[in-house]
Amino acid sequence: MNEPSGEDKAPPALSVVIVAYNSGATLGRCVAALAAQTFGDFELLIIDNASPQQEAVPAAAGLPGTRVLEAGGNLGFAAGVNLGAREARGRWLVLLNPDAYPDPDWLAELAAASGRHPKVKSFTSRQVMAQDRGVLDGLGDVMSAPAIPYRGGYQTPDPGDTPEGEVFSPCGAAMMVDRDLFLRLGGLDESFFCYCEDVDFGYRLQLVDEPTLLVPSAVIAHEGSASSGGPRSEFAVFHGTRNRFWVLVKNTPALLLPLVLPLHLLAFAVVSLRPQNRPLLGITWRGFTAALAGLGPVWTSRRRTQAQRRAPALQIARAMTWNPKDLSGRRAVIRPLRPSRRGAP
């Protein structure tokens, strides 16, 4: 009997989406790590953002059945993920960066976590540095009081005994979310193009009272910014500066806005004027002025986002960290899973 193909096959449990652009040095290794997964009930979709390196098709050969979707241009990470989400067939949408290399049991651990916590619809991974697995790349994303997000534990030693628990936001480099929920919330905000779109989505999850659970046993090794020139590149600094401000304006509840906005502006000034950051001051200022220039559409988006909010402002405040030492030390902030998300659905 012939094997069913395409739409005739039963939907997989998971759909893994990778957005490829200038990922020729890493994408093949990433796909090879997926091919070695102990959990096999998944499909892989690679979004080719018209990469000049044309790496998507050769890399896809490393995992039979992989679908390559031609974006027709460089849509950015956010729009690329949304394209993959629309075409995906699994109940769970799994995002993976092309410079991230999952351990063989990565998908199995994420799937097991969803079974242990059937009320939770968003999960994130333990990320270690590909260059040194003893150093963290992140334990989920943290939102500080000045609305400056960061990856928890970034560039600090991996303690190895991290508890499973809630974090503010999943990191888009290696996360799993209920696909229906993702689409219902509008997916990633395509105006962000790249950087902070995962934090924006995680903030919107918080606003609709959907927690994100860190699964420390689900591990990926991440190179980070491999296709965008590094975290201090002009591209990264501009988009990071602009998009952080947009996350604040779009998502912060009105009750918190008078407190968070001045803190953000103060922190922005302090960080920008540090000696190591002064060479980037021109790019940083360009990103900030671009943020201000784009506030009209962001404010329109804010009205839609706040209209969906179910969580009270105090709950959002509690999900943030108000300890300045957390931000300065990039400390992970992991809290016990809220009681309403424990047990059977």
Side-chain angles (χ1 to χ4, degrees):
M1 181 179 293
N2 291 333
E3 188 73 16
S5 60
E7 296 294 328
D8 296 327
K9 285 186 178 180
L14 315 178
S15 294
V16 180
V17 173
I18 300 174
V19 178
Y21 185 81
N22 282 346
S23 310
T26 61
L27 183 59
R29 180 180 170 188
C30 175
V31 173
L34 286 171
Q37 292 295 298
T38 59
F39 183 93
D41 190 14
F42 73 95
E43 63 174 350
L44 173 60
L45 295 84
I46 299 177
I47 314 303
D48 181 4
N49 262 356
S51 174
Q53 297 180 1
Q54 300 182 332
E55 68 271 25
V57 172
L63 182 59
T66 296
R67 285 190 280 161
V68 176
L69 303 180
E70 303 289 346
N74 185 7
L75 305 181
F77 180 75
V81 166
N82 290 346
L83 172 60
R86 291 192 297 270
E87 296 293 327
R89 302 171 62 235
R91 185 238 161 138
W92 293 99
L93 181 68
V94 181
L95 308 189
L96 183 65
N97 274 13
D99 59 354
Y101 316 121
D103 284 3
D105 61 350
W106 176 60
L107 289 178
E109 291 294 338
L110 289 174
S114 70
R116 289 194 304 273
H117 304 286
K119 293 182 181 179
V120 178
K121 298 181 179 180
S122 174
F123 300 86
T124 197
S125 309
R126 177 199 295 269
Q127 298 174 200
V128 297
M129 294 289 187
Q131 301 86 342
D132 183 352
R133 291 180 62 100
V135 178
L136 286 172
D137 181 68
L139 295 170
D141 288 346
V142 182
M143 179 59 73
S144 66
I148 296 180
Y150 64 92
R151 289 207 295 275
Y154 180 67
Q155 291 188 337
T156 65
D158 184 357
D161 58 350
T162 308
E164 190 174 82
E166 281 191 40
V167 294
F168 187 87
S169 168
C171 177
M175 61 177 276
M176 183 174 82
V177 62
D178 181 278
R179 178 174 168 266
D180 286 345
L181 175 62
F182 181 86
L183 294 174
R184 192 162 66 247
L185 291 181
L188 301 184
D189 189 330
E190 297 183 8
S191 68
F192 282 49
F193 191 78
C194 192
Y195 288 97
C196 293
E197 65 285 284
D198 52 351
V199 179
D200 169 72
F201 179 75
Y203 208 141
R204 284 184 280 139
L205 285 173
Q206 291 284 350
L207 292 174
V208 298
D209 197 25
E210 291 288 353
T212 292
L213 188 75
L214 169 70
V215 186
S217 56
V219 182
I220 62 127
H222 188 214
E223 292 198 19
S225 303
S227 63
S228 61
R232 292 178 66 83
S233 69
E234 180 176 352
F235 181 89
V237 172
F238 173 84
H239 285 85
T241 301
R242 184 193 68 177
N243 294 351
R244 281 193 297 269
F245 194 70
W246 284 356
V247 168
L248 182 164
V249 172
K250 177 181 173 182
N251 297 293
T252 307
L255 192 63
L256 299 178
L257 202 54
L259 179 59
V260 170
L261 180 57
L263 289 175
H264 182 86
L265 296 176
L266 177 62
F268 171 74
V270 170
V271 172
S272 299
L273 294 175
R274 285 176 178 170
Q276 65 269 33
N277 293 330
R278 285 176 189 168
L280 303 170
L281 193 56
I283 305 167
T284 304
W285 181 249
R286 201 155 48 82
F288 185 69
T289 56
L292 296 177
L295 278 183
V298 174
W299 199 259
T300 300
S301 183
R302 172 185 171 81
R303 287 196 291 267
R304 292 195 300 267
T305 299
Q306 297 302 318
Q308 292 180 312
R309 179 164 69 94
R310 297 199 302 265
L314 182 58
Q315 180 175 311
I316 301 301
R318 287 172 174 166
M320 303 164 70
T321 177
W322 297 83
N323 186 343
K325 291 183 179 180
D326 287 341
L327 174 59
S328 62
R330 293 171 173 169
R331 298 193 300 206
V333 178
I334 306 166
R335 297 182 171 94
L337 182 63
R338 63 193 69 174
S340 63
R341 291 299 186 270
R342 298 173 191 163

